[in-house]
Amino acid sequence: MRELSVRNTIRMWDTYLSEGSNAFSEFHIYVCCAFLTTWSEKLRAMDFQGIIMFLQSLPTQTWGDHEIEVLLAEAYVLSSVWHNAQSHILKGE
């Protein structure tokens, strides 16, 4: 969360706390997915080293309430769709 302002970090933690006791371990993965989909097109055009450098310094310095709300909303949608989905890959076969 070092890539976000203190205000946005507090907003994210507020969401995690309101989602329940397992929210960080369960909801955080969807927040990460929402981050990746935000920059999906740009990331696909980069090589591995470029991706790593980009992800270590995300361009979120100018993000305000609207951007963090959109990110959390997208994460919530992903969570709603995929959280209880059965695995599409059968283990052991």
Side-chain angles (χ1 to χ4, degrees):
M1 296 206 182
R2 67 177 186 223
E3 294 83 7
L4 299 170
S5 69
V6 172
R7 179 183 174 103
N8 288 336
T9 301
I10 290 170
R11 176 61 185 92
M12 288 181 69
W13 275 105
D14 181 59
T15 299
Y16 291 150
L17 293 172
S18 69
E19 287 293 315
S21 61
N22 292 331
F24 188 80
S25 62
E26 293 177 3
F27 186 68
H28 185 67
I29 188 71
Y30 300 106
V31 173
C32 293
C33 290
F35 263 117
L36 292 174
T37 58
T38 299
W39 294 291
S40 177
E41 189 173 319
K42 188 171 187 170
L43 289 169
R44 286 187 218 167
M46 296 179 182
D47 64 359
F48 181 76
Q49 183 176 353
I51 292 170
I52 297 300
M53 297 297 291
F54 181 81
L55 292 175
Q56 289 178 342
S57 183
L58 294 173
T60 56
Q61 299 84 7
T62 60
W63 277 27
D65 293 338
H66 175 73
E67 290 82 5
I68 209 70
E69 291 294 330
V70 169
L71 178 79
L72 293 171
E74 289 177 11
Y76 182 78
V77 168
L78 291 170
S79 172
S80 296
V81 171
W82 297 107
H83 182 66
N84 291 318
Q86 293 181 348
S87 175
H88 296 287
I89 300 174
L90 299 175
K91 295 179 181 167
E93 289 187 21

